[in-house]
Amino acid sequence: MADQEASSSTSRCAYHVFLSFRGKDIRKTFIDHLYTALVQAGIHVFRDDDEIERGEKISSYASSRWCLDELLKIVQRRKNSGQVIFPVFYDVDPSHVRKQTGTFAQAFSSYEEEVELETDERKKESLEKVSRWRAALTEVANLGGKVLQNEADGHESRFIQEIVKQIGNKLNRTVLNVAPHPIGIDTRVKNINLWLQDGSTEVGVLAIYGMGGIGKTTVAKTAYNLNFDKFDGSSFLANIREASEQPNGLVRIQRQLLSDILKKKAEKVYNVDEGIIKIKNAVSCKRVLLVVDDVDQLDQLNAVIGMRQWFYPGSKIVITTRHERLLKADDVCEMHKVKELDDRESLQLFSWHAFGQDNPIEGYMELSERVLQHCGGIPLALQVLGSSMSGRSVDVWESAIKKLEAIPDSHILKKLKVSFDSLEDDHDKNLFLDIVCFFIGKDKDYTVRILDECGFFTIGGIQSLIDRCLLMIGEDNKMRTHDLIRDMGREIIRQESPEEPGERSRLWHHKDSLYVLSEKTGTETIKGLELDMQMFMDGKSVGTIFGNDAKGQRSKESLVALELRNSSLKQAWRGAKELILLRFLNLSHSHGLTKTPDFSGLPNLERLILKDCIALMEVHESIGELERLVFLNLTDCKNLRKLPKTVCKLQSLKKLILSGCSKLVELPIELGNLESLTVLHADKISINQLVSTTGEVKSWRARFWSWVSRERKCPEPITFSLASLSHSLVKLSLANCNLSNDAIPIDLRSLSLLQYLNLSENPICSLPESIKGLCVLQDLWLDSCTSLQSLPELPMSLIKLKAINCTSLKRITNLPNMLKSLFLDVSDCCKLVEVQGLFKLEPIGDFLPEMINNLGLSNLESMRNIEVELFNNMTKTRMKCPVQGLYEFGIFSASVPGNEIPGWFGHKAMGHMITFNVPSQPNLKMRGFNICFVYTRSKDQKYRYWGDSKYGNSYSYFIKISNRTRGKKWVYSPTFLGIPGTGEDMTWSSHWKFANHMDDGDEVSVSLIGWSLTFRAKECGIGFVYEEQEEQKGMPTKGEEEVTKYSSARPFENVSDDDMSAYQLKSGDYFLSHPDYFMLLEQARDHPARAVLHEYLFQDTVQSTGSTSEGGGGGGGGGEGDDSDDYYVDDNYDDIDEEELMTILGWQ
């Protein structure tokens, strides 16, 4: 039996499989059953009595010259065109075929006797043919194949199914047509393939969801083509939504499913209920793959798949839908969202349709990029627009792109509008239209407040839009949607009145709004309008926004939100205006505004935004009448000098922002009465002088802290009543306020609700010890506090500590929850040498002599005069200093200039890796071992000179220890490492206590990972460390056993000997890295980057071994190489993508 190996060959061939067999006795039994099974599996089969003229009758291989000649041709086709031969041994021993024994020997004896009777001329030719027959039989028998008597317990039906399965796998068939240019499909179908092939006996359901045109069906088809033949039955039900809308649509779908699963024409199905019963019976007896495409209603799904438990164990059901929560009741349904194509993939797909190649032709790149920006990675849009522009001139492209910006392509919109039409009622449709016209990019909470006031049930409606992939909520809580979805909604509005904007329900385009207002063509149809105030005021002498006409009066009475950002207004309106329903007023960036309007007619105003009103000098006293005001933003009102007394009456005010009000000199004492205030931002406030409203002069810090603490009795800022500090503040920001230590109260505990404190860019040297009493504090920001030298004990509640560029900070003590929940950023803290409980760096001479001896270091006096350059991987800074010792994870290490491994190291190897077996020392107890590397700068010219490194000051280096016998691995990244000088070598020595993780005879390897872009290892060495069993001191002599004695009088604890769960990435794999500790946090457990990091650092690689010196074990190959400036490549370095690894660790 022969079949085609490549799909390309299959497409050109009339048949998938050719059956070559012998004998009448199996033609109508085994061969007929095999033929039928192959055909039912969708495989096109040729056998000699079907579909072509019969040749010579095939009776047997051994007795038929025709069969043997046919076999010669089959073998030749295998060699020439790659066709696959699949031998099936039916009641015959493969060894008889291979050696031509048994019945095969009899046949060949007969042939050879006949040859002997031939003339000399033909005898040679006939003998050569017999020899080729023998060789062909031997070759085919050696291919393996299937042997009936050895498989399936001799059961022919099971035997046939195994054959069909293997033939299907070799054919690599596709049964569904997929897009001609499936760009990016492999990555999008990868995880689905893994799920389909996971071998589970559970009935699995997976939903592929996403917006229209994103490629859900293409992904499902590809997955189906790759997996349908791995199941006993399969069916792909396309376009369920459209098909179900046809007469008897669901019944027709049921009939197709039954026909596909049963592999025969289905019996008639008269109604949906009858079809459900028949489907239940059909899917309960075989493992099936079912794809249900484009489902938008649950009843469609119920009619097709019924209940999950009906299906045979191991069956898989794949559903494509635009409705994310269609299967919300099914807790065990897998969800797979199809993402947009990236820029590279988008350009390729568009180019194939527009230019017939994978990139634009000359002169069209910029135009193509403009189209790509419009498409936003949606395959449907890229295909439609690419095809429509194919072969067109540059002028036509320019015109078409301009049209697209005004009127989206109708074919694309029709596809996208399906999701809009599927919305259940007018409420959700109108909500969608309002959001895409006015609220994309706006805060969700802000949007909800406004639309709730407009009569919408906004929260539920937004969820409905999200479920149908019409809306997204970004990580910043902003309303998001794809540009094409937005354009689809806006086109629905434009079609309400294509020619007259004033007759549309919503106006979002500034030119249309300006036209309607200027020409007074608006109608009662208009529900919402957006206007660029700068455009509106340009060239006009109008000083206010409201007129006095009746139509304008009706509009004002209905106003809920008024956005007047970027206006040129000097005054919003004159006198009081009755805006009863107004909740939101935004006058930000109105650079001409000198005073606020009268607020007395705005009883329901909740949010007032005056950000960046740089000319504002006066806030109207009526602000005190805004009883419902909860948010007041005065950021960067640089000319505002005072706040009116009435601001103290804002009993609902929760958030006050005064940051950047640099000229603010007058502040009412009564501000302390703001009982609801929880958030205060007062960054960049001048602290020179503050004049109270009574004319009394006080320092700013006295007035401010008096206000915060509501101090009434003490006139000076130095002493405060601890009990009187505000209990309401939750968030306090005082960045860049020139605060010194004296400006901060000694006792902060009365700020008991404080969760966020920002003191960045202030000249403070320390924080009060009382900060540990802020028991709910979560965020503490101290960036660029360049005088800060140390930190006290911090509260256990802390989640984030930012202390970037604290250039005087040396030590951090008692850091809470470091490896559990705390995010720590100390970048550019160039003097930081200790984080208590994590690491400590100090001069080598300050460590205990026994620790220094364990490294084999001597002559400390000479080291005191040696200066080394160290890279701090925690802060990403460099420092020059005397030789230092680093202690972390119980590992003691030092970087010193040097070009050789100390002589007492018993195992050495050239290069970056050494492999050894732990030696047996019956009279000594091993405590651990020492690791030593000699390294220099990488000779890769791209990264050789640090200033030119594309990673800035970030260098990659990991030490990996693998106990292959125990199946455990440790990857260690030292917080500090020495940087060799140009043309110089450096030695890194370390002492590890690994007694609990090594046994005699264990196979262990030590290697460097990720060094190739920065450092090059020249030599490595291992020396074993044993506890002292006899009264011996000092280092061993040359002739003694080369071990290091370790006094047990003062053991140094090592995390490797204690609980290591905090450092475990996966079972048996431990990541010892303080610079990258965030990968160990609980919230990073399921982060994709963590899995990629594990793959890169802990993957097993095939590494060479070489000889070691002085009785060592195995070692990595690779010598030192020469010192030329040639590009350096070390083939023995672990196969790691450095750039991707650094991206994972956040170094780019």
Side-chain angles (χ1 to χ4, degrees):
M1 179 163 51
D3 57 62
Q4 297 289 340
E5 185 174 42
S7 58
S8 58
S9 299
T10 303
S11 63
R12 297 192 300 268
C13 194
Y15 298 94
H16 295 129
V17 172
F18 170 75
L19 287 178
S20 178
F21 63 96
R22 69 169 180 85
K24 284 184 177 180
D25 53 337
I26 63 170
R27 178 184 298 276
K28 295 183 178 180
T29 55
F30 177 76
I31 290 297
D32 189 57
H33 296 156
L34 176 59
Y35 174 83
T36 301
L38 289 167
V39 170
Q40 287 181 341
I43 299 172
H44 199 195
V45 186
F46 165 72
R47 61 180 177 180
D48 70 323
D49 57 354
D50 270 347
E51 297 181 307
I52 68 168
E53 288 187 18
R54 288 189 51 153
E56 178 186 343
K57 181 180 178 181
I58 301 176
S59 57
S60 69
Y61 272 99
S63 60
S64 172
R65 295 174 182 269
W66 192 95
C67 284
L68 294 173
D69 284 342
E70 182 180 68
L71 182 61
L72 289 177
K73 292 179 181 178
I74 291 172
V75 171
Q76 191 62 40
R77 288 292 299 272
R78 175 176 181 266
K79 294 177 180 178
N80 294 342
S81 59
Q83 285 185 308
V84 176
I85 300 174
F86 190 85
V88 177
F89 300 96
Y90 183 85
D91 284 344
V92 65
D93 190 328
S95 66
H96 292 173
V97 180
R98 185 181 301 109
K99 300 176 182 179
Q100 293 89 57
T101 57
T103 58
F104 282 75
Q106 297 173 8
F108 274 89
S109 294
S110 176
Y111 291 141
E112 289 167 351
E113 289 175 1
E114 292 176 7
V115 171
E116 290 298 327
L117 299 177
E118 294 180 357
T119 62
D120 291 341
E121 292 182 0
R122 295 193 58 187
K123 182 183 295 186
K124 181 178 180 182
E125 181 181 342
S126 297
L127 285 174
E128 289 178 353
K129 175 171 282 192
V130 171
S131 178
R132 292 200 303 273
W133 286 343
R134 286 183 180 275
L137 287 169
T138 300
E139 180 178 343
V140 170
N142 285 334
L143 293 175
K146 309 289 287 184
V147 183
L148 174 61
Q149 54 267 38
N150 295 342
E151 302 182 46
D153 297 325
H155 295 283
E156 286 192 9
S157 59
R158 287 171 54 192
F159 185 57
I160 286 172
Q161 290 303 317
E162 287 293 324
I163 294 172
V164 172
K165 183 177 180 179
Q166 291 198 26
I167 293 296
N169 291 339
K170 290 178 180 295
L171 282 173
N172 190 25
R173 293 170 299 148
T174 58
V175 293
L176 297 174
N177 180 51
V178 183
H181 307 294
I183 304 298
I185 196 67
D186 291 341
T187 57
R188 285 158 180 81
V189 84
K190 178 181 177 181
N191 288 335
I192 300 176
N193 270 339
L194 293 175
W195 176 78
L196 289 170
Q197 300 168 18
D198 63 8
S200 171
T201 57
E202 300 292 327
V203 177
V205 179
L206 179 141
I208 302 174
Y209 70 97
M211 62 178 286
I214 196 67
K216 301 181 295 294
T217 300
T218 300
V219 170
K221 283 182 176 181
T222 303
Y224 184 85
N225 282 338
L226 293 172
N227 293 279
F228 75 94
D229 54 359
K230 297 178 176 63
F231 293 80
D232 301 327
S234 61
S235 179
F236 189 100
L237 304 176
N239 302 318
I240 294 297
R241 177 183 52 80
E242 292 182 7
S244 64
E245 294 172 354
Q246 304 301 317
N248 295 318
L250 290 177
V251 171
R252 292 182 181 180
I253 293 168
Q254 291 176 326
R255 285 205 300 264
Q256 180 190 339
L257 173 58
L258 289 168
S259 177
D260 291 342
I261 297 298
L262 299 174
K263 298 181 179 178
K264 65 178 183 180
K265 186 175 181 180
E267 299 177 4
K268 289 186 177 180
V269 177
Y270 294 98
N271 57 63
V272 171
D273 293 333
E274 179 187 2
I276 289 175
I277 298 300
K278 290 188 175 183
I279 289 172
K280 176 182 178 181
N281 296 331
V283 300
S284 63
C285 57
K286 61 173 65 177
R287 182 171 167 269
V288 300
L289 169 62
L290 173 59
V291 178
V292 191
D293 175 50
D294 196 16
V295 178
D296 69 343
Q297 296 293 333
L298 203 56
D299 61 344
Q300 300 164 358
L301 207 54
N302 293 334
V304 175
I305 68 173
M307 304 293 288
R308 179 193 296 224
Q309 53 266 36
W310 294 351
F311 284 76
Y312 192 81
S315 295
K316 299 287 189 181
I317 303 166
V318 178
I319 299 157
T320 72
T321 181
R322 302 170 188 231
H323 192 173
E324 180 182 355
R325 294 173 64 85
L326 184 70
L327 300 172
K328 59 184 177 182
D330 196 339
D331 295 333
V332 291
C333 176
E334 299 285 337
M335 303 298 294
H336 179 87
K337 184 176 183 179
V338 182
K339 297 181 179 180
E340 296 88 349
L341 300 181
D342 61 30
D343 292 343
R344 179 183 59 82
E345 294 168 334
S346 296
L347 183 61
Q348 287 182 355
L349 181 59
F350 177 78
S351 297
W352 276 114
H353 289 282
F355 310 109
Q357 59 186 42
D358 64 358
N359 59 284
I361 61 177
E362 186 177 355
Y364 284 82
M365 176 60 81
E366 184 178 348
L367 292 169
S368 297
E369 289 175 346
R370 289 169 61 187
V371 178
L372 297 188
Q373 187 175 4
H374 176 80
C375 295
I378 303 300
L380 171 69
L382 294 163
Q383 178 181 344
V384 169
L385 296 181
S387 300
S388 68
M389 294 183 174
S390 179
R392 305 296 180 90
S393 66
V394 170
D395 292 342
V396 174
W397 274 58
E398 289 279 6
S399 176
I401 292 172
K402 290 179 180 179
K403 179 183 176 183
L404 279 175
E405 293 170 352
I407 305 174
D409 182 87
S410 60
H411 180 76
I412 299 171
L413 291 187
K414 181 179 179 182
K415 184 78 172 179
L416 298 177
K417 191 172 179 289
V418 171
S419 297
F420 174 81
D421 293 335
S422 72
L423 292 171
E424 296 178 356
D425 48 44
D426 290 341
H427 172 275
D428 288 357
K429 290 180 179 180
N430 281 314
L431 179 67
F432 169 75
L433 295 174
D434 276 344
I435 289 174
V436 296
C437 287
F438 304 121
F439 294 100
I440 297 301
K442 299 291 195 303
D443 182 79
K444 176 189 173 183
D445 298 333
Y446 167 78
T447 302
V448 169
R449 283 193 294 267
I450 291 181
L451 293 178
D452 277 352
E453 295 295 336
C454 295
F456 286 105
F457 304 99
T458 315
I459 293 179
I462 285 176
Q463 188 59 56
S464 178
L465 299 180
I466 292 173
D467 293 345
R468 286 167 172 77
C469 300
L470 291 170
L471 189 65
M472 298 174 289
I473 305 299
E475 293 182 358
D476 55 359
N477 204 41
K478 298 294 178 65
M479 311 291 286
R480 307 288 185 194
T481 192
H482 194 280
D483 287 352
L484 290 178
I485 295 289
R486 178 203 62 197
D487 293 346
M488 177 268 293
R490 292 180 175 183
E491 180 62 13
I492 292 173
I493 300 300
R494 196 188 71 85
Q495 288 296 332
E496 293 174 348
S497 178
E499 302 298 331
E500 182 49 62
E503 296 180 3
R504 300 173 193 164
S505 60
R506 298 158 181 87
L507 298 177
W508 66 91
H509 199 285
H510 299 304
K511 289 184 179 179
D512 290 339
S513 301
L514 183 59
Y515 171 79
V516 170
L517 291 175
S518 301
E519 302 299 324
K520 300 182 179 180
T521 59
T523 65
E524 297 291 337
T525 305
I526 297 178
K527 298 179 180 178
L529 177 149
E530 185 173 337
L531 177 65
D532 185 329
M533 288 304 299
Q534 196 164 4
M535 179 185 296
F536 181 73
M537 302 306 299
D538 188 28
K540 297 179 179 291
S541 58
V542 183
T544 64
I545 184 61
F546 292 123
N548 295 312
D549 59 292
K551 186 182 294 186
Q553 183 62 32
R554 287 196 301 271
S555 300
K556 286 183 286 185
E557 291 173 355
S558 302
L559 273 177
V560 173
L562 185 57
E563 292 272 356
L564 299 173
R565 289 175 294 176
N566 300 304
S567 76
S568 300
L569 293 169
K570 294 182 179 179
Q571 187 176 359
W573 57 79
R574 297 186 182 92
K577 295 292 181 183
E578 294 295 324
L579 303 173
I580 305 299
L581 297 181
L582 192 67
R583 261 60 171 184
F584 307 90
L585 176 59
N586 188 351
L587 291 162
S588 60
H589 311 292
S590 297
H591 291 172
L593 192 70
T594 57
K595 58 183 179 180
T596 67
D598 187 331
F599 300 110
S600 57
L602 284 60
N604 291 303
L605 192 67
E606 296 176 2
R607 296 173 66 88
L608 175 59
I609 305 175
L610 297 163
K611 179 180 180 179
D612 190 38
C613 292
I614 56 177
L616 185 67
M617 300 179 67
E618 180 183 344
V619 175
H620 199 278
E621 290 190 355
S622 60
I623 194 172
E625 299 178 27
L626 302 178
E627 296 180 356
R628 299 185 62 182
L629 192 70
V630 296
F631 179 85
L632 174 58
N633 188 348
L634 292 162
T635 302
D636 291 332
C637 292
K638 298 178 180 180
N639 280 295
L640 183 65
R641 300 182 64 84
K642 65 178 181 177
L643 291 178
K645 277 186 177 182
T646 54
V647 78
C648 305
K649 298 179 180 180
L650 300 174
Q651 293 303 308
S652 298
L653 189 65
K654 294 181 178 180
K655 187 170 184 177
L656 174 61
I657 305 179
L658 299 171
S659 298
C661 296
S662 53
K663 293 186 178 179
L664 190 63
V665 294
E666 189 167 317
L667 188 67
I669 295 178
E670 292 79 4
L671 280 174
N673 296 329
L674 298 176
E675 298 286 345
S676 299
L677 190 68
T678 59
V679 178
L680 171 65
H681 289 185
D683 304 337
K684 302 179 183 179
I685 295 292
S686 172
I687 64 170
N688 294 330
Q689 291 287 316
L690 175 69
V691 183
S692 73
T693 52
T694 61
E696 180 184 5
V697 178
K698 285 193 175 183
S699 69
W700 160 258
R701 67 173 186 240
R703 184 65 61 204
F704 174 77
W705 286 107
S706 294
W707 167 38
V708 171
S709 62
R710 281 182 269 159
E711 175 63 53
R712 298 291 176 269
K713 298 178 181 179
C714 181
E716 297 300 326
I718 303 304
T719 58
F720 291 100
S721 172
L722 303 182
S724 66
L725 289 173
S726 172
H727 297 285
S728 63
L729 281 176
V730 172
K731 189 172 183 179
L732 177 61
S733 182
L734 300 172
N736 197 12
C737 289
N738 200 27
L739 294 174
S740 63
N741 282 31
D742 293 338
I744 302 176
I746 296 175
D747 198 324
L748 295 171
R749 287 177 298 178
S750 58
L751 295 171
S752 58
L753 298 180
L754 199 63
Q755 297 179 19
Y756 173 95
L757 177 60
N758 187 354
L759 297 174
S760 298
E761 300 181 75
N762 283 301
I764 54 177
C765 299
S766 61
L767 293 177
E769 295 287 339
S770 62
I771 195 170
K772 67 182 179 182
L774 301 180
C775 57
V776 295
L777 186 67
Q778 296 181 359
D779 283 58
L780 177 59
W781 292 45
L782 301 167
D783 295 345
S784 296
C785 291
T786 54
S787 298
L788 186 66
Q789 297 179 7
S790 62
L791 290 176
E793 183 177 352
L794 299 172
M796 292 297 295
S797 57
L798 202 64
I799 293 176
K800 179 184 290 185
L801 172 60
K802 286 182 83 275
I804 298 173
N805 194 39
C806 293
T807 53
S808 299
L809 184 63
K810 295 181 179 180
R811 289 175 176 82
I812 301 177
T813 58
N814 300 311
L815 205 56
N817 303 316
M818 180 60 188
L819 294 175
K820 296 180 180 178
S821 59
L822 181 67
F823 176 83
L824 173 67
D825 191 348
V826 288
S827 302
D828 298 321
C829 294
C830 54
K831 293 184 179 180
L832 184 66
V833 294
E834 180 181 4
V835 176
Q836 188 175 14
L838 295 187
F839 68 85
K840 182 177 183 180
L841 183 81
E842 61 182 0
I844 192 73
D846 293 349
F847 282 89
L848 292 175
E850 61 188 280
M851 297 181 69
I852 299 170
N853 289 338
N854 283 326
L855 291 183
L857 299 177
S858 59
N859 196 9
L860 293 183
E861 288 300 323
S862 63
M863 287 190 182
R864 298 183 191 278
N865 300 321
I866 298 175
E867 185 178 68
V868 295
E869 185 174 19
L870 298 179
F871 173 64
N872 185 336
N873 208 359
M874 191 85 173
T875 64
K876 303 295 182 283
T877 58
R878 296 158 67 181
M879 59 186 292
K880 289 186 177 182
C881 55
V883 175
Q884 304 284 304
L886 172 65
Y887 189 67
E888 60 181 340
F889 301 108
I891 302 169
F892 181 51
S893 64
S895 298
V896 297
N899 58 7
E900 63 180 1
I901 305 293
W904 60 270
F905 276 79
H907 300 260
K908 301 179 184 179
M910 305 306 296
H912 78 293
M913 176 182 176
I914 184 169
T915 302
F916 56 90
N917 292 97
V918 178
S920 175
Q921 297 290 338
N923 298 322
L924 295 174
K925 181 181 179 181
M926 189 182 75
R927 181 177 292 275
F929 53 78
N930 286 3
I931 300 174
C932 184
F933 283 99
V934 176
Y935 61 99
T936 187
R937 292 193 180 190
S938 171
K939 288 191 175 182
D940 182 342
Q941 290 195 2
K942 189 173 184 181
Y943 307 106
R944 183 176 184 182
Y945 304 102
W946 309 116
D948 298 330
S949 170
K950 71 175 180 179
Y951 303 122
N953 282 336
S954 297
Y955 309 124
S956 167
Y957 43 80
F958 301 92
I959 294 93
K960 178 179 178 180
I961 300 178
S962 299
N963 188 329
R964 297 175 179 176
T965 304
R966 290 197 179 194
K968 288 188 175 183
K969 301 173 186 176
W970 298 264
V971 171
Y972 171 47
S973 178
T975 301
F976 289 85
L977 191 73
I979 301 176
T982 303
E984 297 178 353
D985 295 334
M986 182 144 313
T987 300
W988 182 78
S989 301
S990 61
H991 173 64
W992 304 58
K993 185 161 78 75
F994 258 50
N996 291 347
H997 301 283
M998 301 287 175
D999 282 333
D1000 293 352
D1002 284 359
E1003 183 184 3
V1004 180
S1005 68
V1006 179
S1007 60
L1008 304 184
I1009 302 176
W1011 289 49
S1012 60
L1013 297 186
T1014 50
F1015 305 118
R1016 177 169 66 92
K1018 302 176 72 174
E1019 187 180 8
C1020 53
I1022 298 294
F1024 294 100
V1025 181
Y1026 295 85
E1027 289 187 0
E1028 185 176 15
Q1029 300 296 316
E1030 301 174 2
E1031 294 298 325
Q1032 298 177 350
K1033 300 291 182 181
M1035 301 301 296
T1037 61
K1038 179 71 175 178
E1040 297 175 331
E1041 181 67 36
E1042 295 181 345
V1043 297
T1044 301
K1045 305 301 180 183
Y1046 193 116
S1047 172
S1048 60
R1050 185 180 174 86
F1052 294 94
E1053 294 300 327
N1054 190 308
V1055 69
S1056 61
D1057 283 341
D1058 296 325
D1059 180 15
M1060 298 186 66
S1061 58
Y1063 300 93
Q1064 184 170 257
L1065 282 180
K1066 287 189 177 180
S1067 178
D1069 293 344
Y1070 301 93
F1071 188 42
L1072 310 179
S1073 175
H1074 290 138
D1076 308 308
Y1077 77 95
F1078 53 86
M1079 284 295 177
L1080 299 166
L1081 297 182
E1082 186 63 35
Q1083 53 265 41
R1085 291 285 173 184
D1086 299 322
H1087 197 285
R1090 179 173 167 138
V1092 177
L1093 177 71
H1094 180 270
E1095 178 183 353
Y1096 277 119
L1097 295 183
F1098 290 88
Q1099 63 183 345
D1100 290 320
T1101 56
V1102 178
Q1103 295 162 323
S1104 60
T1105 58
S1107 62
T1108 59
S1109 61
E1110 305 191 24
E1120 295 184 17
D1122 57 46
D1123 291 328
S1124 66
D1125 287 338
D1126 294 338
Y1127 183 88
Y1128 176 72
V1129 177
D1130 185 346
D1131 293 334
N1132 290 319
Y1133 277 101
D1134 288 358
D1135 185 17
I1136 288 184
D1137 186 329
E1138 298 270 351
E1139 185 167 349
E1140 186 168 354
L1141 178 59
M1142 291 193 176
T1143 301
I1144 293 167
L1145 298 177
W1147 292 354
Q1148 291 200 80

